[in-house]
Amino acid sequence: MARTYAIRSVCGADFALLKSWRTRPHVRRWWDEPDVEPDIEKLDDPRIALWIASHAECPFAFLQDYEIHAWPDHHFNYLPPGARGIDLYIGEADMLGVGHGAALLRQHVGELFRQGAPAVGIDPHPDNIVAIRCFEKAGFAIARERVETDWGPAVLMDRRNMALMAPGKRS
């Protein structure tokens, strides 16, 4: 059975929850401290969309997607114009390890594709094997094993919108 999630835009009232999630050990291990890249600074940035995902009316995860080509020399600049980058974490520890990450990512990327994104990139830390496997289950493929980015070491993974590929170019 496919899971579906309610995904809504982040609002100012969500920052306490996001900060709480960012202080939890399973999130903090892979994300900077909350004050390093505060989500509140991204709220009014038109290049970035911030989201809260809920399951059974309970918020459990944060996502952000962004315009890759809005940053000069971004590590995903090999993706076509209109491509989006995505980051996510599951804030609630009891939601880990049961398939929510891959299902949520498939749902959100599907929506980005319906909106016309030709591709989506995601860049987990090379040591975060659980995330890499989760992203593979969501349809992402490794493009580069390890790169140094402005945000630290990463594995570059991407997923292409097959509906936008020219006939005869599908593989």
Side-chain angles (χ1 to χ4, degrees):
M1 172 187 350
R3 295 182 173 131
T4 56
Y5 303 94
I7 301 174
R8 64 170 176 78
S9 295
V10 168
C11 65
D14 295 317
F15 291 118
L17 175 62
L18 293 176
K19 188 167 186 170
S20 167
W21 285 345
R22 292 275 297 270
T23 63
R24 295 179 184 179
H26 71 277
V27 175
R28 195 173 58 235
R29 180 174 181 198
W30 304 112
W31 284 66
D32 287 327
E33 294 295 327
D35 296 329
V36 171
E37 190 179 272
D39 295 317
I40 197 165
E41 291 180 6
K42 299 182 230 172
L43 191 60
D44 294 323
D45 188 332
R47 304 170 297 177
I48 305 169
L50 306 176
W51 309 97
I52 297 275
S54 297
H55 179 65
E57 299 184 22
C58 295
F60 76 97
F62 169 79
L63 303 98
Q64 65 182 12
D65 61 80
Y66 56 92
E67 295 178 40
I68 290 167
H69 295 285
W71 282 268
D73 301 320
H74 193 280
H75 52 273
F76 282 123
N77 65 1
Y78 69 89
L79 292 173
R84 303 288 290 176
I86 193 167
D87 302 299
L88 81 150
Y89 61 78
I90 293 178
E92 299 297 335
D94 63 341
M95 300 292 276
L96 294 169
V98 292
H100 290 293
L104 173 60
L105 191 53
R106 276 191 302 272
Q107 179 181 324
H108 193 67
V109 169
E111 181 58 30
L112 293 173
F113 285 171
R114 280 187 288 284
Q115 293 173 10
V120 176
I122 196 163
D123 52 3
H125 190 283
D127 296 337
N128 194 343
I129 302 303
V130 171
I132 293 168
R133 297 298 168 252
C134 169
F135 302 158
E136 287 174 331
K137 289 177 186 172
F140 284 80
I142 295 174
R144 292 191 57 202
E145 288 288 335
R146 184 183 182 101
V147 298
E148 289 299 323
T149 75
D150 291 342
W151 298 272
V155 173
L156 300 188
M157 303 178 75
D158 60 52
R159 184 171 162 201
R160 308 296 175 122
N161 187 344
M162 300 308 286
L164 296 180
M165 293 196 66
K169 296 218 177 202
R170 295 182 184 174
S171 52

